[in-house]
Amino acid sequence: MAGNSFGKLFKLTTFGESHGKAIGGIIDGCPAGLTLDLEAIQNELNRRKPGQSKIVTQRKEPDTVEFYSGIFEGVTTGTPVGFVIHNTNQKSKDYSHIKDVYRPSHADYTYDKKYGVRDYRGGGRSSARETASRVVAGAIAKQMLANIKINAFTSSVGEIFIDKPYQDLDFSKIESNVIRCPDDASAEKMIAKVEAIKKQGDTIGGTITCVIQNVPVGLGEPVFDKLHAELGKAMLSINAVKGFEYGSGFCGAKMTGSAHNDLFNEDGSTKSNLSGGIQGGISNGMDIYFRVAFKPVATVIQKQEALNSLGELVEMQGKGRHDPCVVPRAVPIVEAMAALVIADNILLRRQESREW
């Protein structure tokens, strides 16, 4: 299986399955001399871990990260940073009923046809549990990017949207509720919606908005490695993501050029920021902001028609512990992947031997 690594200079390779002994990763390219706040790294994992509230999966995993290399007395050494997160609360029997059945909209069918074998327990390698390793690497990247602020939050659940621009939101309130929405009124409606959907044995999707501030001018390359293309790849690699837009996004397609253009100020900043902080694939120093769409979780606790390995249509019903909405737990994952992209591009920029 290829495709287990992300990044060019700041590079993460992950391993492990949902119901294996552990998941983990190796980070290549982390600069030496970075003093790490290990408690802050664990806190990022706590934001993503299962069982943290009544509106997420009730799988109980401590998600405690153990570092095996690349750190000495709390400081990075420049060698590969190796780490593991042990799985402690697997209930593989919850998946015995799908051993020979392909669940609708899951990776079961495609994995089996591609590899000829699949780990049906929790989806194996295709499980979103793999993203815990990304959060560890992203937390380290965040500490490398001390002056750059990365904040993601739930901006919609189903048809419930925050009706304010991000500039009017208080990011310090993101962690004040279980849905991770910084607007109190919207958060209450979102939580009620998820609870109602959960009672029906169903699931629902939503969107996450991410804002990256204090990004220097000059990150990204102007052709195939555009900064927004790298961010798009990062976000679309996250489980359950169905869409990515930055700046004006799809709404920009409805506008005229004269209305859409970001006019300059004398210092090089712009009066508006419909470009989303990126022009020609290169950061321009303005806020980078984008939105990521997540589909409803494919496992529903309702009877549905499925296909088995014999080519027969059969009836099945989801079992086990699943998120009725992935969005709250995906917020730290979005931040982590954004941090990996920015960290990688910072190192690439430094490699060009230009002064900052």
Side-chain angles (χ1 to χ4, degrees):
M1 176 187 286
N4 297 295
S5 299
F6 182 84
K8 297 181 177 68
L9 294 184
F10 194 97
K11 185 174 184 177
L12 169 67
T13 300
T14 72
F15 66 85
E17 295 81 34
S18 177
H19 285 233
K21 290 185 177 181
I23 56 175
I26 296 175
I27 305 168
D28 280 316
C30 183
L34 179 64
T35 300
L36 294 178
D37 182 342
L38 299 181
E39 184 177 343
I41 295 172
Q42 185 59 53
N43 184 59
E44 290 295 301
L45 273 172
N46 293 343
R47 296 173 68 209
R48 193 221 70 97
K49 74 178 182 181
Q52 60 184 277
S53 78
K54 61 183 179 180
I55 63 168
V56 302
T57 172
Q58 294 306 296
R59 178 173 176 171
K60 300 295 184 181
E61 291 284 359
D63 277 2
T64 302
V65 61
E66 296 179 15
F67 289 101
Y68 287 171
S69 64
I71 303 171
F72 180 68
E73 296 182 341
V75 180
T76 58
T77 62
T79 60
V81 177
F83 62 89
V84 299
I85 302 165
H86 290 283
N87 295 325
T88 65
N89 191 222
Q90 309 98 312
K91 290 188 177 180
S92 300
K93 64 180 181 180
D94 287 346
Y95 298 91
S96 58
H97 67 297
I98 61 162
K99 181 179 180 181
D100 299 307
V101 176
Y102 305 127
R103 296 167 294 175
S105 291
H106 277 274
D108 301 343
Y109 177 82
T110 52
Y111 261 60
D112 207 5
K113 294 303 177 183
K114 181 176 177 66
Y115 300 109
V117 61
R118 71 182 176 100
D119 182 348
Y120 61 86
R121 303 167 304 166
R125 181 70 175 152
S126 69
S127 169
R129 181 142 183 76
E130 177 273 338
T131 60
S133 298
R134 306 185 192 200
V135 171
V136 173
I140 292 176
K142 278 185 176 182
Q143 294 187 35
M144 175 184 153
L145 306 171
N147 296 323
I148 295 175
K149 298 179 181 179
I150 302 175
N151 289 286
F153 57 89
T154 299
S155 48
S156 75
V157 169
E159 296 297 325
I160 304 168
F161 284 78
I162 296 178
D163 59 359
K164 301 175 183 177
Y166 76 82
Q167 294 90 340
D168 293 344
L169 299 173
D170 180 358
F171 292 160
S172 69
K173 297 176 68 174
I174 292 172
E175 296 296 318
S176 68
N177 54 72
V178 294
I179 204 73
R180 293 201 165 93
C181 171
D183 181 67
D184 293 334
S186 299
E188 288 183 13
K189 295 176 183 177
M190 291 175 183
I191 293 169
K193 182 68 174 180
V194 174
E195 290 177 337
I197 288 293
K198 182 180 179 180
K199 288 179 180 179
Q200 298 169 18
D202 214 336
T203 63
I204 195 164
T207 63
I208 291 173
T209 295
C210 184
V211 183
I212 313 175
Q213 298 171 302
N214 302 331
V215 178
V217 179
L219 300 187
E221 304 298 332
V223 186
F224 295 114
D225 294 334
K226 292 179 172 67
L227 186 58
H228 58 270
E230 296 297 305
L231 287 167
K233 178 180 179 180
M235 299 306 141
L236 291 165
S237 75
I238 300 171
N239 304 60
V241 169
K242 302 298 287 184
F244 168 83
E245 64 175 359
Y246 76 102
S248 61
F250 286 96
C251 289
K254 305 174 184 177
M255 302 174 68
T256 62
S258 58
H260 190 273
N261 286 344
D262 294 319
L263 302 182
F264 283 106
N265 296 310
E266 291 182 354
D267 63 357
S269 63
T270 56
K271 299 181 188 302
S272 58
N273 187 22
L274 294 172
S275 298
I278 304 171
Q279 294 175 325
I282 301 170
S283 61
N284 67 358
M286 301 294 287
D287 290 354
I288 294 173
Y289 63 96
F290 57 84
R291 194 158 61 109
V292 187
F294 288 79
K295 72 173 185 177
V297 175
T299 298
V300 296
I301 313 302
Q302 297 179 3
K303 292 182 179 179
Q304 285 192 313
E305 190 174 71
L307 180 70
N308 67 20
S309 58
L310 299 176
E312 302 167 331
L313 293 176
V314 297
E315 186 179 78
M316 66 150 288
Q317 183 174 0
K319 298 180 181 179
R321 302 158 296 177
H322 304 280
D323 291 276
C325 180
V326 300
V327 175
R329 292 178 60 215
V331 166
I333 303 169
V334 168
E335 290 183 359
M337 293 307 295
L340 291 179
V341 171
I342 300 300
D344 198 29
N345 275 272
I346 288 284
L347 293 179
L348 288 165
R349 178 69 167 162
R350 287 177 183 171
Q351 196 178 52
E352 295 174 356
S353 300
R354 298 181 183 179
E355 294 294 332
W356 281 91

